[in-house]
Amino acid sequence: MKTSPTWLNDYLEPPLSPAEQAEILTAVGFPLDGQGRADGADEDWQEIEITSNRGDCLAHLGFAREIAAATGRTLKEPAVRAGAGLTPASSLVTIRNERPDLCPLYTARVIRGVTVRPSPEWLQKRLRAIGLVPRNNLVDATNFVLFELGQPTHVFDLATLAGKEITVRNARDGEAFLPIGEGAAEVKLRAADLVIADRDRAVAIAGVKGGALTAVRDSTRDVLVEAASFDPVAVRATSRALRIASDSSYRFERGVHPADVDAAAERLVALILELAGGELAAGSVRAGRDPAPPRRVNLRPDRCRAILGIPIADAEMERRLATLGFAPVRQADGSFACTVPARRLDVDREIDLIEEVCRLGGLDAIPAGDSIRVRVPPFQPKVAGRRAVKDLLAGLGLVECVTHSLVAEKAAKPFVPAGGGLLEVDDERAGGEPALRPSIVPSLLRVRQRNLDEGCQRLDLFEYASTFVGVGHEHQAHNEHRERRMLAILVDPPEGSLDRDATFRRLRGVIDRLAAMLAGHDAEVAVRAVARGDDGGCGWLEPEAIATVAGTPLGRFGLVTRDLLKAYGLEHPVAAAELDLEALLERYPPEIRTSGAPAFPAADRDISAIVDERVTWAELTATIRGLSIPELERIDLVSTYRGKQTGAGRKSVSMRLSFRAADRTLTGDEIEAATARAIAALVAERQAEVRSS
């Protein structure tokens, strides 16, 4: 916040130089961020950095309070003296609040007979010092109170308010509104926007901007003075959506407590009467809820000393808290019961009070240790497993990507699962990519496209990141979603080839390596084909398969559809996988079983069986293993062939059976007998035609 050191000294006794102010504020957590000389004001200005939770210090009085507490100086709060007439304000204007959840308190005061004219020199000088342009005595008074107390206010020309009434309500969808300000353009409001309206129209965007049609002008004689509190989230959402920001919205977004509204209103009214004359109507008109009672938080001195690591006397803690307005009261157990001022929205726990004690002693007073304790964290399966997955993929030649979680809506839609919905962020900074990606694959396809455009002909990619899908009915309205960490893989065909089957097998090999590492080399990878249009199919893979490892669902993989490849300018086959490894990572590393080297050699026999296209490898191996041949050690796939020799709708699957006995070398007759049993089972159960063995 830009401050005027002269203005700050209005509230301090004795005053301080700008350098002293900056030094003290820096020591208590508000560092100097810049300084200079104000144009046309012959005054210094200083930019003081403020954290987002300290909205109470977005005002000169807030900084003066911090300096007074840290130095023991006297804080001179502004005196308020405003006499009122006999006519009650409630007879001149009516207030209705339809959204007390978004506007906890709305107050209005009426002043009649004001004279709009230039502000006195002292006021203009204060505003110029912080970079504001003086307008007139009424507008300048609202800006002065804003930067003095941190409470936004507004002044309406009462004669322009239709029906002499104010309603706090939601805007009508598409309702027109012209903001105040030179060159401002009319905007269309949304139903979600909170507005201040008269009988006929919206006259202000609540907490954000006043309207041009009811603004103070030279002819204004009667005014309505608004002071209110608005929900920070609602103000922020409206300000971002309409792309309208102001000093008021900046403060409301950080929180203005309803209990501070009246003090600011009375200060503004007194200032207007001093600068513009007029008569104040009796009382105020209010709508909303009564402010909640002050929060009470206890501080244990021993706990404070233990946290800070320095000796601080109980009396000193009490003094520091008292200077900040916490009114500490000693309890029987030795703790201090503190009443939190309404303006301190950031304080609601004991640790917050400990921070206050620390700040007032100077953050630089906390000693820095000469040594650092290093604690080795326990083994974390998921962390180690993810690192191992990335190492494996990198070792296989895949390049890791880190892409943005926001994508274009057009890119995201093909990947939204059945029953799910697309989630979008309502933020102008998202530009043309407002969708939270339901899959990582479109991000990798975009990376692949960009690299191909740059001349990179072969590139295999992977990324381990989060995906987001809306769930339930009207998921966007209720902000319901499912977030999952997924591994996405994209591979090109083998070098020198454009064969789709070879591309598919190449990806299958990567998945098998992953499964072996995460679940053990003996873990069985089961694959189920998904036909296009089947329930559970994703729609962006063809062919598509769903993999399961040791009974745990792993994910889907296959070839990216030609239409999707065309959209990304890719003409060669690309295989993709999207895998959920979290369940396997919970059990990482897998249990490893070892055995001694075999004492006797193995013997291999090959079988080529022509079977129906729909018969899977898992079914073929299950048929043979179902025979429980004790000497059968393993079954490996050799090749798959489709052509004229196999006939339409059939394929030739070549497999290798390995036999070994633990106590002897198997004879040829034993091996042939076992192979014959396997062939007979394939013929009987799978209607196989065995061509060779």
Side-chain angles (χ1 to χ4, degrees):
M1 173 184 156
K2 183 175 283 189
T3 67
S4 161
T6 304
W7 193 346
L8 257 176
N9 279 330
D10 289 344
Y11 313 110
L12 294 170
E13 183 62 44
L16 290 153
S17 69
E20 290 172 324
Q21 291 180 12
E23 182 180 358
I24 293 167
L25 289 173
T26 298
V28 297
F30 302 101
L32 177 69
D33 198 33
Q35 55 189 342
R37 193 76 171 172
D39 295 334
D42 193 29
E43 279 195 30
D44 293 326
W45 59 263
Q46 295 187 142
E47 189 79 34
I48 306 298
E49 185 179 329
I50 305 174
T51 55
S52 60
N53 66 332
R54 289 303 304 271
D56 61 298
C57 283
L58 287 170
H60 283 79
L61 187 60
F63 281 135
R65 186 178 290 110
E66 293 289 324
I67 292 174
T71 63
R73 279 172 167 75
T74 301
L75 180 68
K76 300 187 298 181
E77 298 199 35
V80 176
R81 293 182 297 275
L86 298 177
T87 304
S90 58
S91 67
L92 303 175
V93 66
T94 59
I95 306 294
R96 184 168 66 255
N97 187 350
E98 296 180 358
R99 295 301 306 269
D101 56 325
L102 301 182
C103 176
L105 179 62
Y106 188 95
T107 70
R109 290 163 174 80
V110 176
I111 304 176
R112 294 182 294 173
V114 300
T115 301
V116 180
R117 54 179 172 245
S119 298
E121 181 59 27
W122 71 265
L123 178 53
Q124 293 192 38
K125 189 175 181 180
R126 290 289 182 271
L127 298 181
R128 288 195 189 99
I130 58 173
L132 297 183
V133 178
R135 302 296 181 184
N136 58 56
N137 50 358
L138 296 187
V139 173
D140 293 349
T142 62
N143 284 331
F144 183 86
V145 170
L146 176 66
F147 284 91
E148 178 186 58
L149 303 180
Q151 167 71 54
T153 57
H154 189 67
V155 176
F156 295 99
D157 185 335
L158 186 60
T160 63
L161 293 176
K164 302 296 186 290
E165 64 181 56
I166 287 289
T167 301
V168 183
R169 62 169 172 83
N170 283 102
R172 304 181 186 96
D173 197 25
E175 184 174 5
F177 176 77
L178 179 62
I180 195 172
E182 296 178 6
E186 185 177 270
V187 297
K188 298 296 184 182
L189 302 176
R190 312 169 305 155
D193 299 326
L194 189 69
V195 299
I196 311 302
D198 62 11
R199 183 191 61 200
D200 302 331
R201 66 205 166 175
V203 296
I205 304 174
V208 179
K209 202 76 169 178
L213 301 181
T214 56
V216 169
R217 59 204 72 194
D218 292 344
S219 59
T220 297
R221 292 295 174 263
D222 301 334
V223 295
L224 182 149
V225 178
E226 169 196 283
S229 176
F230 299 106
D231 177 69
V233 175
V235 172
R236 184 180 300 113
T238 296
S239 176
R240 299 297 186 274
L242 300 178
R243 301 185 181 182
I244 299 175
S246 64
D247 289 323
S248 294
S249 65
Y250 188 79
R251 284 155 178 79
F252 277 125
E253 288 177 22
R254 283 150 183 78
V256 173
H257 198 284
D260 289 331
V261 167
D262 285 334
E266 291 166 6
R267 171 62 167 161
L268 176 59
V269 164
L271 200 56
I272 291 175
L273 293 174
E274 176 188 339
L275 302 175
E279 180 184 350
L280 174 65
S284 64
V285 188
R286 312 164 70 82
R289 302 168 177 168
D290 292 331
R295 300 186 304 281
R296 298 188 184 279
V297 181
N298 283 6
L299 172 71
R300 296 166 292 175
D302 289 342
R303 179 61 175 166
C304 181
R305 283 185 282 268
I307 291 291
L308 299 183
I310 55 176
I312 304 178
D314 291 10
E316 178 61 15
M317 293 184 198
E318 184 177 10
R319 185 195 68 78
R320 293 181 187 182
L321 293 172
T323 58
L324 288 172
F326 288 99
V329 176
R330 194 69 179 241
Q331 304 295 297
D333 61 359
S335 66
F336 292 109
C338 299
T339 302
V340 181
R343 63 180 176 273
R344 294 303 303 272
L345 301 177
D346 60 308
V347 176
D348 57 13
R349 299 177 301 166
E350 182 183 38
I351 193 66
D352 299 326
L353 292 177
I354 294 174
E355 181 184 3
E356 295 303 293
V357 172
C358 175
R359 284 194 317 106
L360 284 196
L363 297 176
D364 56 350
I366 303 299
D370 295 330
S371 61
I372 300 175
R373 292 185 178 181
V374 177
R375 180 178 62 86
V376 179
F379 179 80
Q380 297 175 287
K382 283 192 173 183
V383 174
R386 291 189 190 116
R387 186 178 297 121
V389 166
K390 294 180 179 182
D391 289 345
L392 173 63
L393 294 176
L396 292 174
L398 281 75
V399 177
E400 182 178 9
C401 297
V402 180
T403 59
H404 205 285
S405 57
L406 293 178
V407 297
E409 183 178 342
K410 182 179 179 181
K413 277 187 174 179
F415 296 87
V416 177
L422 194 61
L423 292 168
E424 296 186 6
V425 297
D426 186 11
D427 193 315
E428 62 185 42
R429 292 171 294 180
E433 298 186 336
L436 284 164
R437 60 184 177 193
S439 167
I440 308 169
V441 173
S443 301
L444 296 185
L445 286 170
R446 185 175 177 180
V447 173
R448 185 67 190 92
Q449 176 190 28
R450 177 65 181 271
N451 280 270
L452 184 62
D453 293 343
E454 296 294 331
C456 182
Q457 298 301 317
R458 294 195 73 261
L459 183 63
D460 302 326
L461 306 170
F462 77 93
E463 182 173 359
Y464 207 142
S466 292
T467 61
F468 308 84
V469 175
V471 295
H473 298 292
E474 299 180 348
H475 55 273
Q476 284 182 289
H478 299 291
N479 198 30
E480 298 175 3
H481 71 279
R482 180 181 71 242
E483 177 180 349
R484 294 194 299 170
R485 287 184 62 86
M486 304 291 285
L487 172 67
I489 301 174
L490 214 65
V491 300
D492 280 349
E495 190 168 359
S497 170
L498 293 178
D499 184 68
R500 289 170 56 84
D501 289 344
T503 308
F504 185 94
R505 290 195 298 271
R506 188 160 180 263
L507 177 59
R508 170 65 192 269
V510 173
I511 293 173
D512 285 345
R513 290 288 298 274
L514 281 172
M517 184 189 71
L518 294 176
H521 290 281
D522 295 333
E524 182 178 355
V525 180
V527 175
R528 175 174 63 86
V530 179
R532 191 160 195 178
D534 286 359
D535 288 342
C538 67
W540 48 271
L541 291 174
E542 188 182 17
E544 177 185 353
I546 294 178
T548 302
V549 179
T552 301
L554 183 62
R556 63 183 75 246
F557 69 100
L559 293 175
V560 179
T561 63
R562 289 183 171 89
D563 290 342
L564 194 56
L565 291 176
K566 184 178 179 181
Y568 285 89
L570 302 174
E571 298 179 355
H572 61 274
V574 175
E578 192 156 57
L579 310 175
D580 185 352
L581 307 181
E582 297 302 293
L584 292 176
L585 291 175
E586 292 281 2
R587 303 190 294 270
Y588 183 83
E591 182 179 345
I592 304 298
R593 296 180 180 179
T594 61
S595 58
F600 299 93
D604 297 337
R605 291 292 184 273
D606 290 351
I607 296 176
S608 294
I610 300 176
V611 295
D612 189 275
E613 182 68 53
R614 292 169 295 182
V615 177
T616 66
W617 171 254
E619 291 172 336
L620 291 174
T621 56
T623 296
I624 297 174
R625 293 194 182 280
L627 299 173
S628 300
I629 300 173
E631 295 83 7
L632 180 62
E633 188 174 64
R634 56 185 297 137
I635 307 173
D636 294 312
L637 176 67
V638 176
S639 65
T640 302
Y641 172 78
R642 296 172 179 86
K644 293 182 180 180
Q645 294 88 341
T646 62
R650 293 173 70 78
K651 60 186 176 184
S652 175
V653 180
S654 295
M655 63 186 76
R656 178 163 296 144
L657 278 58
S658 295
F659 300 93
R660 190 195 309 267
D663 57 351
R664 68 189 188 285
T665 299
L666 294 173
T667 65
D669 291 342
E670 289 176 310
I671 296 171
E672 297 304 330
T675 303
R677 289 182 61 194
I679 293 173
L682 292 174
V683 172
E685 296 184 22
R686 304 301 174 188
Q687 291 74 52
E689 178 183 347
V690 179
R691 292 288 182 90
S692 61
S693 62

